[in-house]
Amino acid sequence: MSSTKPARRPDFWRRSHLELLIALLAMFVVQSFVSPHDRLQRILLNIMFLIVVSSAIRSLSGSKIRMWATIVLGVAAYALSWVDELQSSKWVTGSANACIFAVFVLLISTLATTVFGKGPVDANRIVGAVSIYFLIGLAWAFVYALIELMSPGSFKMASGGPIIETRPGFVNEFIYFSNVTLTTLGYGDVIPLTSPARMFATLEAMIGQLYVAIVIARLVGLQISQSVRD
């Protein structure tokens, strides 16, 4: 008597990193349309950040310490963003941005174990590598926000206007500048002026180039080793 096995979903859709990548892409798109001057839109972006943290739980499930650290930091950042809504201050804004930065660093370190660890080259590993690239751009944006918060005037637009909005999650110009720097496009419409701002911009550009080279070398090396074993 033959038994019919249920059809399996494609491996790509069963992997844990995919929903994180989708959440990151959604956050990138939403933040570009959100105005920091509208309270409802600020709330929307804070919710988007919480969705990213929630989506990261599956990717972090292999390490309970990192998972709980991410949850605690994510909730702290979310709570501080609400405090900032009620009574904005430099220290509250800085603390919230620092928590968000720490969340992204934890995600990067966890995904790196998947991308650069041993095992076959599959869709999950590739999605993880792409997610890390997005996370580096986001994390560096909050570094720039902290620099601007501690030293106002560290960045300015090419038009001459300063970047004045550094609220938690509302770092549109810095996300844009970070991605342009990471990919070394260098449009020049956001300009770092102080030494720390220039140093971190240069460091991000170097990381962006090295990351792509290292990931390609690692994936090719793993694929060759897998082919030899097969």
PDB file of all heavy atoms in Angstrom, residues 21 30 37 42 50 96 111 145 156 162 185 189:
ATOM      1  N   LEU A  21      15.180  39.442   6.092  1.00  0.00           N
ATOM      2  CA  LEU A  21      15.540  40.251   4.921  1.00  0.00           C
ATOM      3  C   LEU A  21      14.331  41.036   4.411  1.00  0.00           C
ATOM      4  O   LEU A  21      14.455  42.223   4.068  1.00  0.00           O
ATOM      5  CB  LEU A  21      16.086  39.347   3.813  1.00  0.00           C
ATOM      6  CG  LEU A  21      16.490  40.053   2.507  1.00  0.00           C
ATOM      7  CD1 LEU A  21      17.554  41.101   2.759  1.00  0.00           C
ATOM      8  CD2 LEU A  21      16.967  39.028   1.482  1.00  0.00           C
ATOM      9  N   VAL A  30       9.899  51.977   3.827  1.00  0.00           N
ATOM     10  CA  VAL A  30       8.974  52.795   4.618  1.00  0.00           C
ATOM     11  C   VAL A  30       9.646  54.060   5.133  1.00  0.00           C
ATOM     12  O   VAL A  30       9.076  55.152   5.074  1.00  0.00           O
ATOM     13  CB  VAL A  30       8.398  51.965   5.785  1.00  0.00           C
ATOM     14  CG1 VAL A  30       7.646  52.862   6.766  1.00  0.00           C
ATOM     15  CG2 VAL A  30       7.467  50.888   5.254  1.00  0.00           C
ATOM     16  N   HIS A  37       8.290  64.786  11.155  1.00  0.00           N
ATOM     17  CA  HIS A  37       7.490  65.844  11.769  1.00  0.00           C
ATOM     18  C   HIS A  37       6.048  65.412  12.019  1.00  0.00           C
ATOM     19  O   HIS A  37       5.284  66.161  12.606  1.00  0.00           O
ATOM     20  CB  HIS A  37       7.509  67.084  10.875  1.00  0.00           C
ATOM     21  CG  HIS A  37       8.893  67.548  10.517  1.00  0.00           C
ATOM     22  ND1 HIS A  37       9.787  68.012  11.460  1.00  0.00           N
ATOM     23  CD2 HIS A  37       9.546  67.579   9.327  1.00  0.00           C
ATOM     24  CE1 HIS A  37      10.924  68.332  10.865  1.00  0.00           C
ATOM     25  NE2 HIS A  37      10.808  68.071   9.580  1.00  0.00           N
ATOM     26  N   ARG A  42       5.876  58.733  12.721  1.00  0.00           N
ATOM     27  CA  ARG A  42       6.969  58.328  13.620  1.00  0.00           C
ATOM     28  C   ARG A  42       6.619  57.035  14.335  1.00  0.00           C
ATOM     29  O   ARG A  42       7.455  56.147  14.493  1.00  0.00           O
ATOM     30  CB  ARG A  42       7.259  59.443  14.630  1.00  0.00           C
ATOM     31  CG  ARG A  42       7.856  60.695  14.034  1.00  0.00           C
ATOM     32  CD  ARG A  42       8.544  61.546  15.095  1.00  0.00           C
ATOM     33  NE  ARG A  42       7.634  61.966  16.153  1.00  0.00           N
ATOM     34  CZ  ARG A  42       6.966  63.111  16.161  1.00  0.00           C
ATOM     35  NH1 ARG A  42       7.085  63.945  15.136  1.00  0.00           N
ATOM     36  NH2 ARG A  42       6.188  63.436  17.164  1.00  0.00           N
ATOM     37  N   LEU A  50      10.256  47.398  15.486  1.00  0.00           N
ATOM     38  CA  LEU A  50       9.866  46.280  16.343  1.00  0.00           C
ATOM     39  C   LEU A  50       9.616  45.021  15.513  1.00  0.00           C
ATOM     40  O   LEU A  50       9.932  43.909  15.942  1.00  0.00           O
ATOM     41  CB  LEU A  50       8.611  46.662  17.134  1.00  0.00           C
ATOM     42  CG  LEU A  50       8.319  45.823  18.386  1.00  0.00           C
ATOM     43  CD1 LEU A  50       9.454  45.943  19.388  1.00  0.00           C
ATOM     44  CD2 LEU A  50       7.008  46.262  19.015  1.00  0.00           C
ATOM     45  N   ALA A  96      18.512  55.632  22.876  1.00  0.00           N
ATOM     46  CA  ALA A  96      17.691  54.844  21.958  1.00  0.00           C
ATOM     47  C   ALA A  96      18.475  54.463  20.710  1.00  0.00           C
ATOM     48  O   ALA A  96      18.441  53.311  20.266  1.00  0.00           O
ATOM     49  CB  ALA A  96      16.436  55.630  21.582  1.00  0.00           C
ATOM     50  N   LEU A 111      24.331  36.374  12.177  1.00  0.00           N
ATOM     51  CA  LEU A 111      24.253  35.974  10.767  1.00  0.00           C
ATOM     52  C   LEU A 111      25.620  35.580  10.218  1.00  0.00           C
ATOM     53  O   LEU A 111      25.719  34.722   9.348  1.00  0.00           O
ATOM     54  CB  LEU A 111      23.668  37.117   9.940  1.00  0.00           C
ATOM     55  CG  LEU A 111      22.180  37.421  10.158  1.00  0.00           C
ATOM     56  CD1 LEU A 111      21.785  38.693   9.428  1.00  0.00           C
ATOM     57  CD2 LEU A 111      21.320  36.261   9.699  1.00  0.00           C
ATOM     58  N   ALA A 145      24.340  59.150  13.336  1.00  0.00           N
ATOM     59  CA  ALA A 145      23.359  59.897  14.120  1.00  0.00           C
ATOM     60  C   ALA A 145      23.918  60.247  15.504  1.00  0.00           C
ATOM     61  O   ALA A 145      23.706  61.364  16.005  1.00  0.00           O
ATOM     62  CB  ALA A 145      22.068  59.096  14.257  1.00  0.00           C
ATOM     63  N   LYS A 156      26.568  67.973   6.881  1.00  0.00           N
ATOM     64  CA  LYS A 156      25.658  68.950   6.293  1.00  0.00           C
ATOM     65  C   LYS A 156      25.336  68.538   4.862  1.00  0.00           C
ATOM     66  O   LYS A 156      26.067  67.766   4.224  1.00  0.00           O
ATOM     67  CB  LYS A 156      26.252  70.349   6.322  1.00  0.00           C
ATOM     68  CG  LYS A 156      27.319  70.615   5.265  1.00  0.00           C
ATOM     69  CD  LYS A 156      27.664  72.091   5.205  1.00  0.00           C
ATOM     70  CE  LYS A 156      28.646  72.380   4.057  1.00  0.00           C
ATOM     71  NZ  LYS A 156      28.958  73.815   3.947  1.00  0.00           N
ATOM     72  N   PRO A 162      21.959  72.073   7.451  1.00  0.00           N
ATOM     73  CA  PRO A 162      22.425  71.046   8.387  1.00  0.00           C
ATOM     74  C   PRO A 162      21.439  69.887   8.486  1.00  0.00           C
ATOM     75  O   PRO A 162      20.279  70.010   8.095  1.00  0.00           O
ATOM     76  CB  PRO A 162      22.487  71.814   9.723  1.00  0.00           C
ATOM     77  CG  PRO A 162      21.393  72.836   9.599  1.00  0.00           C
ATOM     78  CD  PRO A 162      21.378  73.241   8.148  1.00  0.00           C
ATOM     79  N   LEU A 185      29.420  54.873  -3.765  1.00  0.00           N
ATOM     80  CA  LEU A 185      28.861  55.683  -4.843  1.00  0.00           C
ATOM     81  C   LEU A 185      29.354  57.131  -4.737  1.00  0.00           C
ATOM     82  O   LEU A 185      29.724  57.742  -5.727  1.00  0.00           O
ATOM     83  CB  LEU A 185      27.324  55.648  -4.787  1.00  0.00           C
ATOM     84  CG  LEU A 185      26.663  54.353  -5.252  1.00  0.00           C
ATOM     85  CD1 LEU A 185      25.168  54.406  -4.998  1.00  0.00           C
ATOM     86  CD2 LEU A 185      26.934  54.119  -6.729  1.00  0.00           C
ATOM     87  N   ASP A 189      26.195  64.678  -1.802  1.00  0.00           N
ATOM     88  CA  ASP A 189      25.149  65.596  -1.356  1.00  0.00           C
ATOM     89  C   ASP A 189      25.001  65.631   0.156  1.00  0.00           C
ATOM     90  O   ASP A 189      24.300  66.479   0.699  1.00  0.00           O
ATOM     91  CB  ASP A 189      23.808  65.260  -2.013  1.00  0.00           C
ATOM     92  CG  ASP A 189      23.477  63.776  -1.911  1.00  0.00           C
ATOM     93  OD1 ASP A 189      24.352  63.003  -1.469  1.00  0.00           O
ATOM     94  OD2 ASP A 189      22.356  63.400  -2.279  1.00  0.00           O
TER      95      ASP A 189
END
